[in-house]
Amino acid sequence: MRRALELAERGRGAAEPNPLVGAVLVREGVCLGEGWHQRYGGPHAEIVALDGARESVRGATLYVTLEPCCHHGKTPPCSEAVLRAGIGRVVAAMADPFPQVSGQGIERLRGAGVPVESGLCEAEARQLNAPYLKLVTTGVPYVHLKWAMTLDGKMATESGDSKWISNERSRQLAHRLRGRVDAVVIGIGTALADDPLLTARPPGPRTATRVVLDSSARLPVTSQLARGAKESAVLVVTNEKAPRERVQKLGELGCEVLALPANDGRPDVVQLLREMGRRRYTNVLVEGGSGVPGSFLDAGAVDEVHVFLAPKLLGGARAPSPGAGHGVGRIADALSFPNQAIEMLDGDAYLRAWR
């Protein structure tokens, strides 16, 4: 099962909004075949493993990180393929909460006489597919929050200079994050100050929609985002009071303009996430200064944080720190991230924490 989990990870960024799934076929201690779900719309892990088997798999055990599907979607049901192959036993890490599966794949196999066990390495399987599970069960995407800061918690100097707090290796990893999410979100303040592209360089398996929270549609028509909107999607999130002429000009350049209700003068984060869920976005990366991340924190909408900590000190009472917004009044009310991992990147510390 641990090998199946390793294989499943290879599909990250390419399989979504489908789950990440790995499969291994074993008989008498010998691996006969293995596979993973390589891309959305492509064959599922079980089919890849069955098709790549070196010999007959009749009587073999199938280890799979998620319950085999039992419905016709982009591909035929995996449960039927498992039965046709004569698999003797199935071990699934967890059931699939997707409504058209939700235990029915396991019951289909058991009903045909195939023993099925579930729960092996379930905690690891749930963590692997945390974004998929959140989208399926809540209808909203999994939110990643990213920033770089100094040892004294500063994201820039008092004058606004921030290039570069983190080192080259940290920035490369940040680009890899961009290359596997469905959307990258910033505020208009960052768009005006930095004129960013928000693309992954080099490109990753996904091309993220570039999202600017911009209540008054102030994104300049000369900005890199607006000028490149026809090549790579840009979503400008405004409210109903945004000037029509600005909205029209952005639309003419290829930007999609979405009006949402405001919350404290900013587009409402909860409404934005619901809209992203309707679009089947699985992973959303929030970048930018401190205002927009603070809005997501205030909404309790952050699932995972990526912090690049540079061994530098800036000082400055007015130098910005991450996570503005209203915050909490008591430590007991803080948003907690009980799971952590730390990696050193040529002197920078990369801290990843998740709920």
Side-chain angles (χ1 to χ4, degrees):
M1 186 62 78
R2 295 198 183 282
R3 174 59 177 166
L5 289 165
E6 291 176 1
L7 292 167
E9 178 64 37
R10 297 182 183 182
R12 191 174 299 280
E16 295 92 343
N18 281 355
L20 310 181
V21 183
V24 177
L25 290 161
V26 178
R27 185 172 55 220
E28 297 179 354
V30 176
C31 177
L32 304 177
E34 58 182 30
W36 69 95
H37 186 33
Q38 299 177 15
R39 60 178 179 82
Y40 178 68
H44 291 184
E46 301 94 320
I47 306 304
V48 176
L50 289 168
D51 289 347
R54 296 186 294 273
E55 58 186 83
S56 170
V57 297
R58 187 162 296 278
T61 295
L62 168 66
Y63 292 88
V64 63
T65 58
L66 191 70
E67 167 188 8
C69 66
C70 55
H71 69 290
H72 284 271
K74 294 283 184 182
T75 60
C78 291
S79 56
E80 300 306 315
V82 168
L83 293 175
R84 287 195 301 272
I87 296 297
R89 174 172 165 255
V90 173
V91 181
M94 60 175 290
D96 186 348
F98 187 66
Q100 291 176 275
V101 184
S102 190
Q104 297 175 70
I106 290 175
E107 290 307 311
R108 172 71 181 100
L109 295 170
R110 285 175 176 164
V114 178
V116 180
E117 299 173 31
S118 180
L120 181 63
C121 297
E122 182 170 354
E124 294 94 326
R126 286 189 172 278
Q127 176 53 43
L128 173 81
N129 270 314
Y132 166 78
L133 295 174
K134 185 182 181 188
L135 180 62
V136 168
T137 58
T138 70
V140 298
Y142 189 88
V143 176
H144 303 257
L145 185 56
K146 177 191 76 71
W147 70 82
M149 69 181 185
T150 59
L151 291 174
D152 53 344
K154 307 298 184 181
M155 300 173 65
T157 65
E158 289 190 351
S159 67
D161 182 35
S162 62
K163 295 183 178 179
W164 293 102
I165 284 179
S166 58
N167 64 29
E168 177 64 25
R169 192 170 168 204
S170 292
R171 296 197 298 275
Q172 288 174 356
L173 197 154
H175 276 281
R176 289 202 296 273
L177 283 172
R178 281 183 183 175
R180 63 175 179 82
V181 300
D182 296 294
V184 178
V185 182
I186 64 169
I188 185 58
T190 297
L192 293 173
D194 297 343
D195 190 22
L197 277 170
L198 298 184
T199 54
R201 302 182 293 277
R206 302 189 86 75
T207 300
T209 297
R210 300 170 293 168
V211 181
V212 184
L213 304 191
D214 181 12
S215 295
S216 300
R218 290 189 291 151
L219 183 68
V221 294
T222 56
S223 66
Q224 294 192 91
L225 287 169
R227 288 188 287 112
K230 291 182 179 178
E231 286 72 45
S232 184
V234 173
L235 175 64
V236 180
V237 185
T238 67
N239 63 38
E240 297 85 349
K241 296 181 180 179
R244 285 187 181 178
E245 63 276 10
R246 293 181 187 171
V247 169
Q248 182 177 347
K249 287 180 180 178
L250 289 172
E252 290 171 352
L253 288 170
C255 298
E256 179 186 357
V257 181
L258 173 68
L260 290 179
N263 187 350
D264 284 340
R266 299 178 183 273
D268 187 86
V269 164
V270 173
Q271 295 295 329
L272 175 61
L273 289 174
R274 288 174 181 166
E275 174 60 27
M276 288 178 165
R278 284 191 287 271
R279 300 180 184 211
R280 307 299 294 166
Y281 288 2
T282 308
N283 289 279
V284 171
L285 178 62
V286 180
E287 297 190 11
S290 56
V292 169
S295 295
F296 279 83
L297 287 170
D298 285 345
V302 178
D303 299 290
E304 187 168 328
V305 294
H306 305 265
V307 180
F308 297 91
L309 184 63
K312 302 171 183 176
L313 294 171
L314 291 182
R318 293 184 297 276
S321 298
H326 296 293
V328 297
R330 304 184 307 155
I331 296 296
D333 296 328
L335 197 58
S336 180
F337 295 83
N339 307 293
Q340 310 94 27
I342 299 177
E343 180 182 355
M344 297 306 298
L345 302 173
D346 295 340
D348 286 358
Y350 167 48
L351 170 64
R352 174 175 166 255
W354 60 99
R355 296 168 71 178

